[in-house]
Amino acid sequence: MEPEVRPGRDHRLDHARAGRPLKTPRAASEPERRAALRILDCLQTRTPMPTIRRRTLIGGALAGLALSASRAPAAPVLRGDDPRFADVVAPGTPLLTLYAQGRWCEGLCYAKALGGLIVSDVRANRMLCVADDGGTRVFRDPSNNANGNTLDGEGRLVTCEHRGRRVVRREHDGRLTVLADAFEGRPLNSPNDAALAPDGAIWFTDPVFGITMPDEGLMATPAQRARRVYRIDPSGTLTGMTEAVGQPNGIAFSPDGRRLYVSDTSAALKNPEGARSILAFPVEGGLKLGAPATFATLEAGVPDGLAVDADGRLYAACFDGVRVYAPDGTRLGRIATATDAANVAFGGPDGRRLFIAAGPCLHAIDLTVRG
């Protein structure tokens, strides 16, 4: 039987088994590479196109597209708003493109024991693993429209599933254990992102995106009366922690665990008056949240995934790249991306590499600070 054709999918992956490397196109010949460079130079400088044999021109144009999409390193736009931004990233540091064949990359989590960076391609319904050397393989396909990922206290991968409307944990032998799929006897909305607390609890957000956006899950009427942030105790008990966020999305703890950051993406649901802010909650004894304060507000778009470095700076994936904030809320600067950034995570061998999911692309930039 022929594999099902799904709009927007990379059909090469329909024939791949989890764990096998992705096939890559043939390398361009030297004449095609030279033609590609000449074509790119002409496009950039707006000079007349040179005369090139038709076959070489076609091959060169295709190679040019590949070069323009994956030529690395490419200098990012680093925009400082505060002199302290120079303590985060050195001027001129290149932004690398590690992968550019996704539909909507999300859920970044560096898991060395699993082979590298775990990536959820939500709308393609698959998960990938990107190794430190850049090699990419299928990790889970289908993935139940998986989104956010984090590691628990034992290094096991915890994943939020839109389609399954649940949070699952991958055991060391590969089996999946359901940690949460209902609250007060009713199905969850669509778990979105998760974070590990210092006491070993898993906290996650539960907005409605996975049941209201056709390409990110299965359409359904919310069974919960609210969009909450939940806590899964190491014992397995599920507790609703707050209903104060309209559409809770990204989530991250400060290094000492005494502050919880949550992004409110209410404006993303065709609601121009909805919130587009990052809230900061005091965490009391690890088991209770105090009243939230607005940490940052965007003038457009919405804040999505969040990450925190070892010194407490907050990194927020936004419509114009990754915005970096000091612990007091001062905006330090921005790492610009060509497409909306959706998620961000630290990783790499020394913990200084910042990974950025931006639409179809996965980027990386090496910072001077650790996550």
Side-chain angles (χ1 to χ4, degrees):
M1 179 180 294
E2 290 295 320
E4 178 185 0
V5 176
R6 302 182 188 178
R9 283 184 65 92
D10 181 345
H11 301 299
R12 293 174 300 165
L13 291 179
D14 291 330
H15 300 275
R17 294 182 179 179
R20 290 191 177 182
L22 299 179
K23 294 181 180 179
T24 56
R26 69 169 180 84
S29 66
E30 188 56 31
E32 290 173 345
R33 285 181 59 82
R34 287 197 299 268
L37 293 173
R38 293 170 70 186
I39 292 169
L40 288 174
D41 288 340
C42 289
L43 292 174
Q44 292 168 357
T45 60
R46 297 185 179 181
T47 57
M49 194 72 71
T51 300
I52 304 173
R53 289 179 57 197
R54 181 175 180 276
R55 184 171 182 176
T56 303
L57 175 63
I58 294 173
L62 293 174
L65 289 173
L67 285 171
S68 63
S70 60
R71 182 185 279 176
V77 178
L78 298 177
R79 300 190 177 182
D81 298 303
D82 185 286
R84 291 173 290 175
F85 190 53
D87 298 330
V88 175
V89 56
T93 302
L95 182 71
L96 308 177
T97 298
L98 306 182
Y99 181 75
Q101 300 174 9
R103 288 191 61 198
W104 185 252
C105 294
E106 263 272 17
L108 305 182
C109 178
Y110 189 77
K112 184 178 180 180
L114 297 178
L117 181 75
I118 301 301
V119 182
S120 293
D121 193 346
V122 182
R123 296 174 185 172
N125 194 21
R126 67 175 178 243
M127 297 168 70
L128 307 174
C129 181
V130 181
D132 291 336
D133 63 4
T136 303
R137 62 181 174 85
V138 178
F139 181 76
R140 187 179 299 164
D141 187 356
S143 68
N144 262 346
N145 295 110
N147 195 332
N149 295 288
T150 192
L151 297 178
D152 73 0
E154 297 182 23
R156 294 170 295 188
L157 185 69
V158 175
T159 300
C160 296
E161 295 182 354
H162 280 186
R163 182 175 293 259
R165 301 172 72 173
R166 62 184 188 172
V167 179
V168 299
R169 181 180 66 213
R170 182 186 185 276
E171 306 299 342
H172 294 302
D173 62 4
R175 292 180 298 108
L176 295 183
T177 297
V178 177
L179 300 182
D181 60 2
F183 181 69
E184 296 180 339
R186 294 183 293 274
L188 297 173
N189 294 320
S190 58
N192 187 283
D193 204 359
L196 174 67
D199 63 0
I202 297 293
W203 293 56
F204 69 93
T205 57
D206 190 37
V208 299
F209 298 112
I211 55 176
T212 58
M213 301 179 71
D215 52 358
E216 294 197 5
L218 297 175
M219 301 302 90
T221 300
Q224 296 293 330
R225 61 177 176 79
R227 281 73 60 196
R228 302 183 181 87
V229 175
Y230 292 95
R231 176 183 182 271
I232 305 174
D233 189 79
S235 68
T237 302
L238 179 66
T239 305
M241 302 303 295
T242 181
E243 299 178 6
V245 190
Q247 292 292 341
N249 198 318
I251 184 169
F253 283 95
S254 60
D256 61 7
R258 298 174 62 183
R259 179 186 289 183
L260 178 71
Y261 297 103
V262 180
S263 57
D264 188 343
T265 53
S266 297
L269 291 176
K270 297 181 180 180
N271 177 15
E273 303 302 320
R276 52 181 90 245
S277 58
I278 301 171
L279 302 179
F281 293 82
V283 182
E284 302 171 0
L287 299 173
K288 183 180 178 181
L289 294 179
T294 299
F295 180 80
T297 299
L298 272 61
E299 69 281 5
V302 292
D304 202 329
L306 305 173
V308 176
D309 69 22
D311 297 320
R313 302 178 192 86
L314 181 71
Y315 299 72
C318 302
F319 73 99
D320 55 358
V322 176
R323 298 190 178 192
V324 184
Y325 298 90
D328 64 3
T330 302
R331 180 170 152 180
L332 302 179
R334 175 167 62 92
I335 303 168
T337 55
T339 53
D340 292 7
N343 205 258
V344 60
F346 279 91
D350 62 0
R352 297 178 187 270
R353 173 158 284 195
L354 186 71
F355 296 99
I356 304 168
C361 298
L362 172 65
H363 302 297
I365 186 168
D366 293 320
L367 307 184
T368 58
V369 296
R370 288 187 173 85

